[in-house]
Amino acid sequence: MDMEEFIKFCKEGNPISGEDKELHGLLVQCSYEAQRITMQLNTSYHSHKEIVEIFSELTGNEVDSSFTCFPPFYTDFGKNITFGKNVFLNTGCSFQDRGGIEIGDGALIGMNVTIATLNHGLSLDTRNTTYSSPVKIGSQVWIGSNATILPGVTIGDNSVIAAGAVVTKDVPANTVVAGVPAKPPVKEIS
């Protein structure tokens, strides 16, 4: 399997066992590439245009010129993130994107937000196998600082995730959630 086939394999949500030397080797190679690119991003000043270009290289897709990121930014894969227009990432975000992260137009992602798309098997027999589930963040979503979004979560348009929340389940559109695990308050956003 070549790297292009491997990235497609990952985007399809296939699990990867630590015992599979070929797939694990490709995964490590992809992770090192993401580290190389994010080190370039994180260790010196870059203009807005340069940051957009770096994210385009990282994701393998053209990132819109309206995208903004305040480094540092961290990812373990890089090739399965899509950004809408006018997306803002504040400093210190960490994306585990092999399972797929889709961020809609106008989303605001606060400082130190973690988005995870992988989980390990629970039993000892599958503990070294990673299983992926995509995360989808709708348009005009605001995710507060230090929030964590777990695998398989969809956040509906216009919703707000409070600072420090741990989102374990889908969030409907126009909803504010807070807490650990995140739960909606009494009323929706009007």
Side-chain angles (χ1 to χ4, degrees):
M1 179 179 301
D2 66 18
M3 186 56 74
E4 188 175 309
E5 292 169 326
F6 176 69
I7 290 170
K8 182 177 186 283
F9 176 86
C10 291
K11 287 183 177 185
E12 291 170 349
N14 294 296
I16 296 179
S17 170
E19 306 299 318
D20 188 321
K21 299 302 180 202
E22 178 188 15
L23 293 178
H24 193 263
L26 288 164
L27 179 59
V28 168
Q29 184 181 343
C30 199
S31 292
Y32 285 164
E33 176 71 3
Q35 287 178 38
R36 180 189 66 75
I37 295 168
T38 56
M39 286 297 290
Q40 175 190 0
L41 172 72
N42 296 337
T43 59
S44 64
Y45 172 79
H46 298 282
S47 69
H48 176 260
K49 181 180 178 192
E50 290 170 331
I51 289 173
V52 170
E53 290 170 357
I54 291 169
F55 269 87
S56 294
E57 179 186 4
L58 177 67
T59 63
N61 297 305
E62 185 175 339
V63 173
D64 191 80
S65 63
S66 63
F67 172 82
T68 300
C69 175
F70 292 168
F73 172 82
Y74 306 97
T75 186
D76 66 338
F77 192 71
K79 300 298 183 200
N80 207 359
I81 308 170
T82 58
F83 297 105
K85 294 181 180 180
N86 298 304
V87 170
F88 172 75
L89 304 182
N90 212 329
T91 187
C93 289
S94 184
F95 290 6
Q96 182 190 55
D97 68 285
R98 195 179 91 216
I101 297 172
E102 180 182 320
I103 300 176
D105 294 344
L108 305 171
I109 313 292
M111 294 175 75
N112 303 314
V113 167
T114 298
I115 301 175
T117 66
L118 298 178
N119 210 338
H120 289 266
L122 189 56
S123 74
L124 289 176
D125 294 342
T126 61
R127 190 138 323 148
N128 71 347
T129 300
T130 51
Y131 299 90
S132 62
S133 298
V135 169
K136 294 182 181 175
I137 298 169
S139 296
Q140 309 304 323
V141 168
W142 174 22
I143 301 177
S145 295
N146 297 301
T148 300
I149 314 301
L150 294 182
V153 167
T154 296
I155 300 172
D157 294 346
N158 307 312
S159 289
V160 177
I161 310 303
V166 176
V167 183
T168 62
K169 296 180 181 175
D170 290 352
V171 176
N174 304 305
T175 304
V176 177
V177 296
V180 179
K183 295 179 182 174
V186 179
K187 66 179 192 171
E188 293 182 356
I189 299 171
S190 54

